């Protein structure tokens, strides 16, 4: 049994998938397997995978196109590792990603391990000024250990600073427990958020390596259904392949806060006994949802339907529910002061041309050195 199963669900991204696979093969650690799960691609994905001759790579494919949650669930079916790493097909590991995670994966108390990233914008990114750029968020260069249940409590107050990456390292033991209870593990619209919240609900520790160990990719195919983000430029929305992505959230607009809340509520529905003691910050939710609507309105989106829905839902709320805003904000602030502290500040922005990278694989290979040299 390998320590890690690196699982790469993919769909029609052969041009970035090659970098993702090579990034795993470049690890300075070899106790892992790679499973590439092809979600009914119609490009040259299969040929790209076959071009790698490494025996640790296993190729599987679906017989039809699946939504994100179904695709991820299919992808882990044959995974044998003690820990599972779901690797998006447009991201890339630094060479020390797995070796850095490995010591923490030896502990039975650690069910979830993550790190911070450098965000890489591919040369085809819709906004030209961002192309071949690396953005590195502030970091402490320390290993931070958090209580899983305290982290989940913060999530209920919409403190999303500790939301793990899609490529977080997840305990196979917990995944198997969840699957035995409810028959599956990943759910739409954001399988990574839902998976992380369910894992945290079992307690133990959540480890954050506060150092950029992964190049998080943004390319023209990162998003799916067409929406405009800047005049004359079209990119894709990750919710575009789902007819009704919001099944349990009270509001249905496609805003980032709602993706997070939908995932959290689905976890509560799946494992009610694990979430019984957590109180949700409803006033903060409605406030942040409203702010999200206004941001989209300023960007030129037509949000009339969302505004009407918002007014209708608010009119039916329990009297006084939204009056808790100040109290919930104070609770969240006090929570943030507890436990290990993250740092804040401006991102480091590096141009590929001046720093020796022209693709995400080259970026990932230099990320650790670049982040340390340019650390503020």
């Amino acid at each position: 049994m390998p320590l890690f199963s690196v699982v790469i669900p993919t769909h029609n991204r052969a041009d970035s998938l090659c970098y993702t696979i090579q990034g795993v093969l470049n690890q300075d650690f070899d106790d892992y397997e790679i499973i590439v799960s092809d979600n009914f691609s119609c490009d040259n994905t299969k040929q790209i995978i076959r071009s790698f001759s490494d025996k640790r790579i296993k190729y599987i494919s679906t017989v039809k196109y699946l939504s994100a949650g179904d695709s991820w669930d299919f992808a882990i079916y044959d995974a044998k590792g003690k820990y599972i790493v779901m690797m998006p097909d447009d991201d890339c590991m630094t060479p020390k990603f797995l070796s850095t995670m490995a010591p923490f994966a030896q502990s039975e108390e650690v069910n979830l391990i993550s790190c911070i990233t450098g965000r890489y914008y591919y040369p085809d990114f819709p906004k030209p000024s961002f192309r071949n750029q690396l953005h590195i968020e502030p970091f402490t260069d320390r290993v931070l250990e958090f209580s899983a249940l305290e982290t989940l409590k913060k999530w209920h107050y919409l403190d999303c600073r500790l939301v793990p990456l899609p490529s977080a390292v997840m305990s196979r033991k917990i995944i198997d427990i969840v699957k035995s209870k409810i028959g599956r593990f990943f759910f739409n619209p954001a399988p990574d958020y839902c998976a992380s919240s369910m894992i945290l609900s079992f307690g133990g520790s959540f480890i954050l390596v506060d150092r950029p160990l992964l190049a998080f990719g943004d390319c023209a195919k990162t998003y799916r259904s067409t929406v405009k983000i800047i005049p004359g430029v079209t990119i894709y929305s990750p919710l575009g392949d789902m007819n009704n992505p919001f099944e349990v959230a009270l509001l249905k607009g496609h805003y980032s806060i709602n993706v997070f809340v939908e995932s959290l509520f689905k976890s509560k529905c799946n494992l009610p006994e694990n979430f019984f003691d957590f109180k949700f910050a409803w006033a903060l939710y409605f406030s942040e949802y409203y702010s999200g609507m206004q941001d989209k309105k300023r960007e030129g989106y037509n949000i009339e339907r969302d505004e009407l829905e918002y007014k209708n839902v608010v009119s039916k709320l329990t009297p006084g529910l939204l009056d808790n805003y100040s109290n919930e904000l104070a609770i969240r602030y006090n929570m943030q002061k507890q436990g290990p502290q993250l740092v804040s500040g401006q991102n480091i922005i590096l141009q590929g041309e001046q720093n020796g990278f022209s693709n995400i694989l080259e970026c990932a290979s230099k990320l650790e050195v670049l982040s340390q040299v340019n650390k503020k």
Side-chain angles (χ1 to χ4, degrees), residues 202-220:
F202 284 86
S205 295
F206 162 43
I207 299 293
L208 175 66
V209 181
D210 197 13
R211 182 188 317 139
L213 293 173
L214 183 103
F216 184 94
D218 264 324
C219 65

Side-chain angles (χ1 to χ4, degrees), residues 112-125:
L112 191 65
I113 315 165
S114 190
C115 66
I116 67 165
T117 71
R119 194 175 197 108
Y120 176 74
Y121 294 90
Y122 277 73
D124 66 350
F125 187 72

Side-chain angles (χ1 to χ4, degrees), residues 145-180:
E145 183 172 357
F146 299 89
S147 159
L149 295 179
E150 287 300 314
T151 300
L152 192 56
K153 185 178 179 181
K154 292 178 181 180
W155 284 19
H156 281 73
Y157 278 80
L158 306 184
D159 179 2
C160 303
R161 298 176 307 154
L162 292 176
V163 175
L165 301 168
S167 52
V169 179
M170 301 178 291
S171 166
R172 173 63 180 271
K173 176 182 69 176
I174 301 298
I175 292 173
D176 288 344
I177 291 173
V178 173
K179 291 180 72 173
S180 71

Side-chain angles (χ1 to χ4, degrees), residues 214-233:
L214 183 103
F216 184 94
D218 264 324
C219 65
K221 294 181 181 178
T222 297
Y223 309 94
R224 294 193 185 94
S225 73
T226 58
V227 292
K228 292 186 177 179
I229 55 166
I230 53 177
V233 176

Side-chain angles (χ1 to χ4, degrees), residues 65-202:
Y65 179 74
L66 304 177
S67 68
D70 292 338
S71 171
W72 283 37
D73 235 41
F74 174 85
I76 65 169
Y77 184 80
D78 287 327
K80 297 179 175 62
K82 182 181 177 184
Y83 280 78
I84 307 294
V85 184
M86 300 301 294
M87 192 69 192
D89 57 2
D90 52 2
D91 295 354
C92 191
M93 294 177 174
T94 63
K96 295 183 180 296
F97 181 92
L98 292 179
S99 62
T100 303
M101 302 296 180
F104 310 110
Q106 308 299 330
S107 171
E108 293 298 321
E109 292 298 312
V110 177
N111 295 324
L112 191 65
I113 315 165
S114 190
C115 66
I116 67 165
T117 71
R119 194 175 197 108
Y120 176 74
Y121 294 90
Y122 277 73
D124 66 350
F125 187 72
K127 196 171 183 179
S129 61
F130 278 60
R131 291 172 182 169
N132 200 33
Q133 265 188 8
L134 171 64
H135 294 206
I136 305 173
E137 59 189 283
F139 61 98
T140 65
D141 208 22
R142 294 185 292 128
V143 174
L144 307 177
E145 183 172 357
F146 299 89
S147 159
L149 295 179
E150 287 300 314
T151 300
L152 192 56
K153 185 178 179 181
K154 292 178 181 180
W155 284 19
H156 281 73
Y157 278 80
L158 306 184
D159 179 2
C160 303
R161 298 176 307 154
L162 292 176
V163 175
L165 301 168
S167 52
V169 179
M170 301 178 291
S171 166
R172 173 63 180 271
K173 176 182 69 176
I174 301 298
I175 292 173
D176 288 344
I177 291 173
V178 173
K179 291 180 72 173
S180 71
K181 286 176 176 285
I182 60 176
R184 60 178 298 165
F185 186 67
F186 292 112
F187 294 85
N188 296 324
D192 50 331
Y193 288 174
C194 196
S196 295
S197 57
M198 287 192 293
I199 288 176
L200 291 173
S201 75
F202 284 86

Side-chain angles (χ1 to χ4, degrees), residues 196-328:
S196 295
S197 57
M198 287 192 293
I199 288 176
L200 291 173
S201 75
F202 284 86
S205 295
F206 162 43
I207 299 293
L208 175 66
V209 181
D210 197 13
R211 182 188 317 139
L213 293 173
L214 183 103
F216 184 94
D218 264 324
C219 65
K221 294 181 181 178
T222 297
Y223 309 94
R224 294 193 185 94
S225 73
T226 58
V227 292
K228 292 186 177 179
I229 55 166
I230 53 177
V233 176
T234 299
I235 63 168
Y236 302 89
S237 163
L239 304 180
D241 60 353
M242 304 173 203
N243 292 327
N244 182 22
F246 301 109
E247 298 171 335
V248 292
L250 205 53
L251 297 162
K252 308 302 179 185
H254 289 205
Y255 303 98
S256 57
I257 189 64
N258 225 29
V259 175
F260 178 76
V261 169
E262 171 75 12
S263 301
L264 187 62
F265 282 10
K266 275 189 176 168
S267 298
K268 293 166 77 77
C269 292
N270 291 332
L271 301 170
E273 68 280 5
N274 288 23
F275 286 81
F276 183 77
D277 293 330
F278 292 101
K279 180 182 178 181
F280 184 71
W282 284 104
L284 288 177
Y285 168 57
F286 279 96
S287 174
E288 295 194 16
Y289 188 97
Y290 183 83
S291 296
M293 286 197 305
Q294 298 312 303
D295 288 343
K296 291 298 182 185
K297 192 173 186 176
R298 283 189 290 270
E299 293 170 11
Y301 288 87
N302 183 344
I303 63 164
E304 289 181 5
R305 184 175 63 179
D306 292 340
E307 288 180 316
L308 287 172
E309 181 203 34
Y310 182 88
K311 291 176 182 177
N312 181 53
V313 171
V314 167
S315 70
K316 298 176 182 177
L317 292 176
T318 303
L321 182 67
L322 299 187
D323 296 339
N324 292 327
Y325 176 79
S326 296
N327 182 49
E328 291 175 357

